[in-house]
Amino acid sequence: MFDLLLRRARLVDDTVTDIAIAAGKIAALGDIDGPAAKRVDLHGEHYVSAGWIDSHVHCYPNSPIYHDEPDSVGIQTGVTTVIDAGSTGADDIDDFYAITRKASTEVYALLNISRVGLIAQNELANLNNIDADAAREAIKRHPDFIVGLKARMSSSVVGDNGITPLQRAKAIQQQNGDLPLMVHIGNNPPNLDEIAELLTSGDIITHCYNGKPNRILTPTGELRASVTRAIARGVHLDVGHGSASFSFAVAQQAIALGILPQTISSDIYCRNRIDGPVRSLANVMSKFLVIGMSLPQVIACVTDHAADGLRLKHKGRLVVGYDADLTIFDLKRQPVLFTDAENETLQAEHILTPLAAIRAGKGYMTEQGSAEHAFDL
């Protein structure tokens, strides 16, 4: 007996299949004829993918700067898994962990290398905040929750410390099983070339398409040599749209050169969720469809690429035995004017609309899905 049987689900390659779920796992795929406690027929009209993973959010409700509720940026928007990118350090990770246990969304954390987390914009201006022992103990306490490290390497954050915080972050990384390290890039110093040369396979450059002078493209529109070398070493590019870190022009130029993101993430928190320009992960994903990426490419950036980059086993793929995390969505024909972080606009004719999310086998309708009454989970 299956707990849930989704009939005639459309995949992003436009094939249609049935998906059976039992005990929080994907139990079967294909043409399925078996008993189920609940059946939902999607009639081949609605897309289903592995559950969307947002690799860069800020959802620690007690953060004084960038805060939100996990389910407001997660399950309510069709996102089944979110990774909070450094809102908390060793001092407040325990509180954040306790909060996330009450969420329907699966939440993981990138531990800020500053033990105080994001209590101010300049958390790395005081090198005493970088406490390797405190970080190690936090990772020991939460080995299944902390999936990586976060270092914000822009001038407003590091103050006069230049590249030193990143050097210390790499030392902490090496002392703790080479966890993935996500590095925020923004205004210099430190210069992006200094940053890129320190990064190694599995590290992540977030805000990769920002429009600031310290960006991945040279003034003549070529990819910086240091970033080319970093990518060749296995460094990943993450979007991290945010309020000030995404430029249509930079993304279009880079993608035209074949420099695609490994992951598409939102850098969402309450203000840019409500007031824009982020709104939701679906909104950010839709922008990349306009820029020229295909639907399968965009979905891969929030499913298998995201799961692989942060070593999330049993997520990101529609595979028997994997977690029953799924996102049901439409690609609607709807004129929309998108805005980037530079206040530039781009006209689109389609938008991704999440209708429902299934997390560990349990269904949740989004606001759009409930309004359409197309099906009921």
PDB file of all heavy atoms in Angstrom, residues 338-370:
ATOM      1  N   PHE A 338      10.441  41.655 -14.816  1.00  0.00           N
ATOM      2  CA  PHE A 338      11.339  41.304 -13.719  1.00  0.00           C
ATOM      3  C   PHE A 338      12.316  42.445 -13.460  1.00  0.00           C
ATOM      4  O   PHE A 338      12.710  43.168 -14.373  1.00  0.00           O
ATOM      5  CB  PHE A 338      12.127  40.031 -14.054  1.00  0.00           C
ATOM      6  CG  PHE A 338      11.313  38.780 -14.009  1.00  0.00           C
ATOM      7  CD1 PHE A 338      11.240  37.937 -15.119  1.00  0.00           C
ATOM      8  CD2 PHE A 338      10.629  38.418 -12.860  1.00  0.00           C
ATOM      9  CE1 PHE A 338      10.508  36.771 -15.078  1.00  0.00           C
ATOM     10  CE2 PHE A 338       9.884  37.250 -12.804  1.00  0.00           C
ATOM     11  CZ  PHE A 338       9.819  36.423 -13.911  1.00  0.00           C
ATOM     12  N   THR A 339      12.760  42.556 -12.201  1.00  0.00           N
ATOM     13  CA  THR A 339      13.722  43.580 -11.786  1.00  0.00           C
ATOM     14  C   THR A 339      14.913  42.909 -11.127  1.00  0.00           C
ATOM     15  O   THR A 339      14.750  41.969 -10.345  1.00  0.00           O
ATOM     16  CB  THR A 339      13.070  44.561 -10.798  1.00  0.00           C
ATOM     17  OG1 THR A 339      11.896  45.114 -11.389  1.00  0.00           O
ATOM     18  CG2 THR A 339      14.031  45.680 -10.429  1.00  0.00           C
ATOM     19  N   ASP A 340      16.114  43.382 -11.440  1.00  0.00           N
ATOM     20  CA  ASP A 340      17.311  42.836 -10.796  1.00  0.00           C
ATOM     21  C   ASP A 340      17.718  43.715  -9.614  1.00  0.00           C
ATOM     22  O   ASP A 340      16.997  44.655  -9.238  1.00  0.00           O
ATOM     23  CB  ASP A 340      18.457  42.663 -11.805  1.00  0.00           C
ATOM     24  CG  ASP A 340      19.005  43.987 -12.350  1.00  0.00           C
ATOM     25  OD1 ASP A 340      18.604  45.070 -11.857  1.00  0.00           O
ATOM     26  OD2 ASP A 340      19.856  43.942 -13.259  1.00  0.00           O
ATOM     27  N   ALA A 341      18.859  43.440  -9.028  1.00  0.00           N
ATOM     28  CA  ALA A 341      19.319  44.204  -7.865  1.00  0.00           C
ATOM     29  C   ALA A 341      19.877  45.574  -8.239  1.00  0.00           C
ATOM     30  O   ALA A 341      20.150  46.397  -7.357  1.00  0.00           O
ATOM     31  CB  ALA A 341      20.380  43.400  -7.106  1.00  0.00           C
ATOM     32  N   GLU A 342      20.043  45.821  -9.545  1.00  0.00           N
ATOM     33  CA  GLU A 342      20.505  47.117 -10.028  1.00  0.00           C
ATOM     34  C   GLU A 342      19.340  48.002 -10.460  1.00  0.00           C
ATOM     35  O   GLU A 342      19.527  49.069 -11.029  1.00  0.00           O
ATOM     36  CB  GLU A 342      21.457  46.917 -11.223  1.00  0.00           C
ATOM     37  CG  GLU A 342      22.627  45.987 -10.956  1.00  0.00           C
ATOM     38  CD  GLU A 342      23.674  46.622 -10.084  1.00  0.00           C
ATOM     39  OE1 GLU A 342      23.989  47.803 -10.299  1.00  0.00           O
ATOM     40  OE2 GLU A 342      24.178  45.942  -9.168  1.00  0.00           O
ATOM     41  N   ASN A 343      18.125  47.516 -10.215  1.00  0.00           N
ATOM     42  CA  ASN A 343      16.886  48.192 -10.608  1.00  0.00           C
ATOM     43  C   ASN A 343      16.704  48.257 -12.122  1.00  0.00           C
ATOM     44  O   ASN A 343      15.957  49.107 -12.636  1.00  0.00           O
ATOM     45  CB  ASN A 343      16.782  49.600 -10.004  1.00  0.00           C
ATOM     46  CG  ASN A 343      15.337  50.034  -9.801  1.00  0.00           C
ATOM     47  OD1 ASN A 343      14.465  49.207  -9.537  1.00  0.00           O
ATOM     48  ND2 ASN A 343      15.078  51.328  -9.942  1.00  0.00           N
ATOM     49  N   GLU A 344      17.391  47.358 -12.828  1.00  0.00           N
ATOM     50  CA  GLU A 344      17.161  47.200 -14.262  1.00  0.00           C
ATOM     51  C   GLU A 344      16.038  46.186 -14.459  1.00  0.00           C
ATOM     52  O   GLU A 344      15.794  45.322 -13.603  1.00  0.00           O
ATOM     53  CB  GLU A 344      18.429  46.730 -14.967  1.00  0.00           C
ATOM     54  CG  GLU A 344      19.593  47.698 -14.872  1.00  0.00           C
ATOM     55  CD  GLU A 344      19.330  49.020 -15.581  1.00  0.00           C
ATOM     56  OE1 GLU A 344      18.574  49.004 -16.592  1.00  0.00           O
ATOM     57  OE2 GLU A 344      19.836  50.059 -15.135  1.00  0.00           O
ATOM     58  N   THR A 345      15.342  46.280 -15.577  1.00  0.00           N
ATOM     59  CA  THR A 345      14.185  45.414 -15.808  1.00  0.00           C
ATOM     60  C   THR A 345      14.373  44.555 -17.047  1.00  0.00           C
ATOM     61  O   THR A 345      15.166  44.873 -17.942  1.00  0.00           O
ATOM     62  CB  THR A 345      12.896  46.245 -15.955  1.00  0.00           C
ATOM     63  OG1 THR A 345      13.044  47.169 -17.048  1.00  0.00           O
ATOM     64  CG2 THR A 345      12.595  47.002 -14.676  1.00  0.00           C
ATOM     65  N   LEU A 346      13.596  43.472 -17.092  1.00  0.00           N
ATOM     66  CA  LEU A 346      13.624  42.549 -18.220  1.00  0.00           C
ATOM     67  C   LEU A 346      12.211  42.000 -18.394  1.00  0.00           C
ATOM     68  O   LEU A 346      11.606  41.495 -17.446  1.00  0.00           O
ATOM     69  CB  LEU A 346      14.608  41.412 -17.935  1.00  0.00           C
ATOM     70  CG  LEU A 346      15.112  40.587 -19.116  1.00  0.00           C
ATOM     71  CD1 LEU A 346      15.854  41.465 -20.117  1.00  0.00           C
ATOM     72  CD2 LEU A 346      16.044  39.483 -18.622  1.00  0.00           C
ATOM     73  N   GLN A 347      11.692  42.117 -19.597  1.00  0.00           N
ATOM     74  CA  GLN A 347      10.336  41.651 -19.888  1.00  0.00           C
ATOM     75  C   GLN A 347      10.345  40.148 -20.153  1.00  0.00           C
ATOM     76  O   GLN A 347      11.194  39.641 -20.880  1.00  0.00           O
ATOM     77  CB  GLN A 347       9.770  42.377 -21.114  1.00  0.00           C
ATOM     78  CG  GLN A 347       8.360  41.973 -21.496  1.00  0.00           C
ATOM     79  CD  GLN A 347       7.327  42.383 -20.456  1.00  0.00           C
ATOM     80  OE1 GLN A 347       7.353  43.518 -19.976  1.00  0.00           O
ATOM     81  NE2 GLN A 347       6.428  41.473 -20.103  1.00  0.00           N
ATOM     82  N   ALA A 348       9.401  39.441 -19.549  1.00  0.00           N
ATOM     83  CA  ALA A 348       9.279  37.998 -19.738  1.00  0.00           C
ATOM     84  C   ALA A 348       7.842  37.657 -20.110  1.00  0.00           C
ATOM     85  O   ALA A 348       6.911  38.419 -19.828  1.00  0.00           O
ATOM     86  CB  ALA A 348       9.669  37.259 -18.469  1.00  0.00           C
ATOM     87  N   GLU A 349       7.690  36.490 -20.712  1.00  0.00           N
ATOM     88  CA  GLU A 349       6.356  36.022 -21.103  1.00  0.00           C
ATOM     89  C   GLU A 349       5.939  34.780 -20.342  1.00  0.00           C
ATOM     90  O   GLU A 349       4.812  34.308 -20.503  1.00  0.00           O
ATOM     91  CB  GLU A 349       6.318  35.740 -22.613  1.00  0.00           C
ATOM     92  CG  GLU A 349       6.651  36.950 -23.476  1.00  0.00           C
ATOM     93  CD  GLU A 349       5.716  38.133 -23.207  1.00  0.00           C
ATOM     94  OE1 GLU A 349       4.509  37.895 -22.974  1.00  0.00           O
ATOM     95  OE2 GLU A 349       6.202  39.283 -23.218  1.00  0.00           O
ATOM     96  N   HIS A 350       6.839  34.233 -19.528  1.00  0.00           N
ATOM     97  CA  HIS A 350       6.533  33.031 -18.759  1.00  0.00           C
ATOM     98  C   HIS A 350       7.050  33.189 -17.328  1.00  0.00           C
ATOM     99  O   HIS A 350       8.039  33.883 -17.097  1.00  0.00           O
ATOM    100  CB  HIS A 350       7.168  31.786 -19.387  1.00  0.00           C
ATOM    101  CG  HIS A 350       6.606  31.422 -20.718  1.00  0.00           C
ATOM    102  ND1 HIS A 350       7.074  31.980 -21.892  1.00  0.00           N
ATOM    103  CD2 HIS A 350       5.600  30.576 -21.065  1.00  0.00           C
ATOM    104  CE1 HIS A 350       6.396  31.482 -22.908  1.00  0.00           C
ATOM    105  NE2 HIS A 350       5.495  30.627 -22.437  1.00  0.00           N
ATOM    106  N   ILE A 351       6.380  32.510 -16.420  1.00  0.00           N
ATOM    107  CA  ILE A 351       6.822  32.529 -15.028  1.00  0.00           C
ATOM    108  C   ILE A 351       6.557  31.163 -14.403  1.00  0.00           C
ATOM    109  O   ILE A 351       5.531  30.521 -14.673  1.00  0.00           O
ATOM    110  CB  ILE A 351       6.105  33.646 -14.232  1.00  0.00           C
ATOM    111  CG1 ILE A 351       6.709  33.781 -12.832  1.00  0.00           C
ATOM    112  CG2 ILE A 351       4.595  33.429 -14.188  1.00  0.00           C
ATOM    113  CD1 ILE A 351       6.282  35.031 -12.102  1.00  0.00           C
ATOM    114  N   LEU A 352       7.517  30.700 -13.617  1.00  0.00           N
ATOM    115  CA  LEU A 352       7.353  29.443 -12.893  1.00  0.00           C
ATOM    116  C   LEU A 352       6.437  29.674 -11.698  1.00  0.00           C
ATOM    117  O   LEU A 352       6.640  30.613 -10.916  1.00  0.00           O
ATOM    118  CB  LEU A 352       8.711  28.932 -12.413  1.00  0.00           C
ATOM    119  CG  LEU A 352       9.617  28.350 -13.495  1.00  0.00           C
ATOM    120  CD1 LEU A 352      11.043  28.236 -12.998  1.00  0.00           C
ATOM    121  CD2 LEU A 352       9.099  26.995 -13.949  1.00  0.00           C
ATOM    122  N   THR A 353       5.435  28.802 -11.574  1.00  0.00           N
ATOM    123  CA  THR A 353       4.435  28.953 -10.518  1.00  0.00           C
ATOM    124  C   THR A 353       4.355  27.670  -9.705  1.00  0.00           C
ATOM    125  O   THR A 353       3.791  26.663 -10.175  1.00  0.00           O
ATOM    126  CB  THR A 353       3.054  29.268 -11.121  1.00  0.00           C
ATOM    127  OG1 THR A 353       3.151  30.424 -11.960  1.00  0.00           O
ATOM    128  CG2 THR A 353       2.026  29.516 -10.029  1.00  0.00           C
ATOM    129  N   PRO A 354       4.921  27.640  -8.507  1.00  0.00           N
ATOM    130  CA  PRO A 354       4.816  26.442  -7.672  1.00  0.00           C
ATOM    131  C   PRO A 354       3.392  26.271  -7.147  1.00  0.00           C
ATOM    132  O   PRO A 354       2.800  27.222  -6.630  1.00  0.00           O
ATOM    133  CB  PRO A 354       5.814  26.718  -6.537  1.00  0.00           C
ATOM    134  CG  PRO A 354       5.935  28.202  -6.479  1.00  0.00           C
ATOM    135  CD  PRO A 354       5.724  28.709  -7.872  1.00  0.00           C
ATOM    136  N   LEU A 355       2.867  25.073  -7.305  1.00  0.00           N
ATOM    137  CA  LEU A 355       1.505  24.785  -6.873  1.00  0.00           C
ATOM    138  C   LEU A 355       1.459  24.026  -5.550  1.00  0.00           C
ATOM    139  O   LEU A 355       0.528  24.198  -4.761  1.00  0.00           O
ATOM    140  CB  LEU A 355       0.775  23.964  -7.943  1.00  0.00           C
ATOM    141  CG  LEU A 355       0.733  24.572  -9.343  1.00  0.00           C
ATOM    142  CD1 LEU A 355       0.087  23.597 -10.321  1.00  0.00           C
ATOM    143  CD2 LEU A 355      -0.018  25.904  -9.326  1.00  0.00           C
ATOM    144  N   ALA A 356       2.452  23.169  -5.329  1.00  0.00           N
ATOM    145  CA  ALA A 356       2.468  22.355  -4.114  1.00  0.00           C
ATOM    146  C   ALA A 356       3.868  21.826  -3.882  1.00  0.00           C
ATOM    147  O   ALA A 356       4.693  21.764  -4.798  1.00  0.00           O
ATOM    148  CB  ALA A 356       1.480  21.195  -4.231  1.00  0.00           C
ATOM    149  N   ALA A 357       4.109  21.452  -2.651  1.00  0.00           N
ATOM    150  CA  ALA A 357       5.359  20.791  -2.284  1.00  0.00           C
ATOM    151  C   ALA A 357       5.022  19.548  -1.490  1.00  0.00           C
ATOM    152  O   ALA A 357       4.052  19.526  -0.717  1.00  0.00           O
ATOM    153  CB  ALA A 357       6.251  21.720  -1.470  1.00  0.00           C
ATOM    154  N   ILE A 358       5.807  18.514  -1.693  1.00  0.00           N
ATOM    155  CA  ILE A 358       5.709  17.304  -0.887  1.00  0.00           C
ATOM    156  C   ILE A 358       7.023  17.165  -0.159  1.00  0.00           C
ATOM    157  O   ILE A 358       8.085  17.125  -0.781  1.00  0.00           O
ATOM    158  CB  ILE A 358       5.418  16.071  -1.754  1.00  0.00           C
ATOM    159  CG1 ILE A 358       4.069  16.230  -2.459  1.00  0.00           C
ATOM    160  CG2 ILE A 358       5.441  14.803  -0.908  1.00  0.00           C
ATOM    161  CD1 ILE A 358       3.792  15.153  -3.502  1.00  0.00           C
ATOM    162  N   ARG A 359       6.970  17.129   1.155  1.00  0.00           N
ATOM    163  CA  ARG A 359       8.182  17.044   1.976  1.00  0.00           C
ATOM    164  C   ARG A 359       8.091  15.806   2.862  1.00  0.00           C
ATOM    165  O   ARG A 359       7.164  15.680   3.663  1.00  0.00           O
ATOM    166  CB  ARG A 359       8.305  18.321   2.815  1.00  0.00           C
ATOM    167  CG  ARG A 359       9.258  18.255   3.968  1.00  0.00           C
ATOM    168  CD  ARG A 359      10.712  18.308   3.589  1.00  0.00           C
ATOM    169  NE  ARG A 359      11.461  17.887   4.762  1.00  0.00           N
ATOM    170  CZ  ARG A 359      12.056  16.707   4.889  1.00  0.00           C
ATOM    171  NH1 ARG A 359      12.046  15.832   3.904  1.00  0.00           N
ATOM    172  NH2 ARG A 359      12.684  16.387   5.997  1.00  0.00           N
ATOM    173  N   ALA A 360       9.021  14.865   2.640  1.00  0.00           N
ATOM    174  CA  ALA A 360       9.026  13.599   3.374  1.00  0.00           C
ATOM    175  C   ALA A 360       7.671  12.909   3.267  1.00  0.00           C
ATOM    176  O   ALA A 360       7.190  12.305   4.217  1.00  0.00           O
ATOM    177  CB  ALA A 360       9.413  13.817   4.829  1.00  0.00           C
ATOM    178  N   GLY A 361       7.066  13.032   2.094  1.00  0.00           N
ATOM    179  CA  GLY A 361       5.810  12.339   1.816  1.00  0.00           C
ATOM    180  C   GLY A 361       4.557  13.095   2.174  1.00  0.00           C
ATOM    181  O   GLY A 361       3.450  12.664   1.832  1.00  0.00           O
ATOM    182  N   LYS A 362       4.691  14.227   2.863  1.00  0.00           N
ATOM    183  CA  LYS A 362       3.523  15.008   3.271  1.00  0.00           C
ATOM    184  C   LYS A 362       3.329  16.178   2.320  1.00  0.00           C
ATOM    185  O   LYS A 362       4.284  16.870   1.980  1.00  0.00           O
ATOM    186  CB  LYS A 362       3.691  15.514   4.704  1.00  0.00           C
ATOM    187  CG  LYS A 362       2.477  16.270   5.230  1.00  0.00           C
ATOM    188  CD  LYS A 362       2.663  16.701   6.686  1.00  0.00           C
ATOM    189  CE  LYS A 362       1.442  17.455   7.194  1.00  0.00           C
ATOM    190  NZ  LYS A 362       1.615  17.899   8.607  1.00  0.00           N
ATOM    191  N   GLY A 363       2.072  16.394   1.914  1.00  0.00           N
ATOM    192  CA  GLY A 363       1.787  17.417   0.924  1.00  0.00           C
ATOM    193  C   GLY A 363       1.402  18.758   1.517  1.00  0.00           C
ATOM    194  O   GLY A 363       0.724  18.828   2.550  1.00  0.00           O
ATOM    195  N   TYR A 364       1.836  19.828   0.835  1.00  0.00           N
ATOM    196  CA  TYR A 364       1.524  21.194   1.240  1.00  0.00           C
ATOM    197  C   TYR A 364       1.169  21.992  -0.018  1.00  0.00           C
ATOM    198  O   TYR A 364       1.992  22.112  -0.928  1.00  0.00           O
ATOM    199  CB  TYR A 364       2.716  21.862   1.920  1.00  0.00           C
ATOM    200  CG  TYR A 364       3.260  21.126   3.120  1.00  0.00           C
ATOM    201  CD1 TYR A 364       4.169  20.073   2.954  1.00  0.00           C
ATOM    202  CD2 TYR A 364       2.883  21.482   4.406  1.00  0.00           C
ATOM    203  CE1 TYR A 364       4.677  19.392   4.056  1.00  0.00           C
ATOM    204  CE2 TYR A 364       3.395  20.813   5.517  1.00  0.00           C
ATOM    205  CZ  TYR A 364       4.288  19.766   5.334  1.00  0.00           C
ATOM    206  OH  TYR A 364       4.786  19.090   6.430  1.00  0.00           O
ATOM    207  N   MET A 365      -0.010  22.557  -0.067  1.00  0.00           N
ATOM    208  CA  MET A 365      -0.383  23.408  -1.183  1.00  0.00           C
ATOM    209  C   MET A 365       0.190  24.804  -0.983  1.00  0.00           C
ATOM    210  O   MET A 365       0.196  25.329   0.137  1.00  0.00           O
ATOM    211  CB  MET A 365      -1.907  23.503  -1.303  1.00  0.00           C
ATOM    212  CG  MET A 365      -2.618  22.181  -1.534  1.00  0.00           C
ATOM    213  SD  MET A 365      -2.120  21.320  -3.050  1.00  0.00           S
ATOM    214  CE  MET A 365      -2.689  22.473  -4.308  1.00  0.00           C
ATOM    215  N   THR A 366       0.675  25.416  -2.062  1.00  0.00           N
ATOM    216  CA  THR A 366       1.069  26.820  -1.996  1.00  0.00           C
ATOM    217  C   THR A 366      -0.178  27.687  -2.141  1.00  0.00           C
ATOM    218  O   THR A 366      -1.271  27.199  -2.450  1.00  0.00           O
ATOM    219  CB  THR A 366       2.055  27.182  -3.108  1.00  0.00           C
ATOM    220  OG1 THR A 366       1.385  27.068  -4.372  1.00  0.00           O
ATOM    221  CG2 THR A 366       3.276  26.267  -3.097  1.00  0.00           C
ATOM    222  N   GLU A 367       0.004  28.977  -1.936  1.00  0.00           N
ATOM    223  CA  GLU A 367      -1.128  29.899  -2.105  1.00  0.00           C
ATOM    224  C   GLU A 367      -1.665  29.838  -3.528  1.00  0.00           C
ATOM    225  O   GLU A 367      -2.884  29.816  -3.745  1.00  0.00           O
ATOM    226  CB  GLU A 367      -0.686  31.321  -1.757  1.00  0.00           C
ATOM    227  CG  GLU A 367      -1.804  32.345  -1.805  1.00  0.00           C
ATOM    228  CD  GLU A 367      -1.348  33.734  -1.402  1.00  0.00           C
ATOM    229  OE1 GLU A 367      -0.245  33.863  -0.856  1.00  0.00           O
ATOM    230  OE2 GLU A 367      -2.105  34.690  -1.641  1.00  0.00           O
ATOM    231  N   GLN A 368      -0.749  29.782  -4.507  1.00  0.00           N
ATOM    232  CA  GLN A 368      -1.198  29.720  -5.908  1.00  0.00           C
ATOM    233  C   GLN A 368      -1.928  28.414  -6.194  1.00  0.00           C
ATOM    234  O   GLN A 368      -2.941  28.392  -6.888  1.00  0.00           O
ATOM    235  CB  GLN A 368      -0.008  29.867  -6.862  1.00  0.00           C
ATOM    236  CG  GLN A 368       0.749  31.174  -6.728  1.00  0.00           C
ATOM    237  CD  GLN A 368       2.011  31.009  -5.899  1.00  0.00           C
ATOM    238  OE1 GLN A 368       2.001  30.383  -4.835  1.00  0.00           O
ATOM    239  NE2 GLN A 368       3.111  31.563  -6.394  1.00  0.00           N
ATOM    240  N   GLY A 369      -1.388  27.312  -5.658  1.00  0.00           N
ATOM    241  CA  GLY A 369      -2.014  26.026  -5.890  1.00  0.00           C
ATOM    242  C   GLY A 369      -3.393  25.936  -5.273  1.00  0.00           C
ATOM    243  O   GLY A 369      -4.331  25.404  -5.878  1.00  0.00           O
ATOM    244  N   SER A 370      -3.549  26.457  -4.076  1.00  0.00           N
ATOM    245  CA  SER A 370      -4.855  26.452  -3.416  1.00  0.00           C
ATOM    246  C   SER A 370      -5.861  27.283  -4.183  1.00  0.00           C
ATOM    247  O   SER A 370      -7.035  26.929  -4.301  1.00  0.00           O
ATOM    248  CB  SER A 370      -4.728  26.974  -1.977  1.00  0.00           C
ATOM    249  OG  SER A 370      -3.901  26.133  -1.201  1.00  0.00           O
TER     250      SER A 370
END
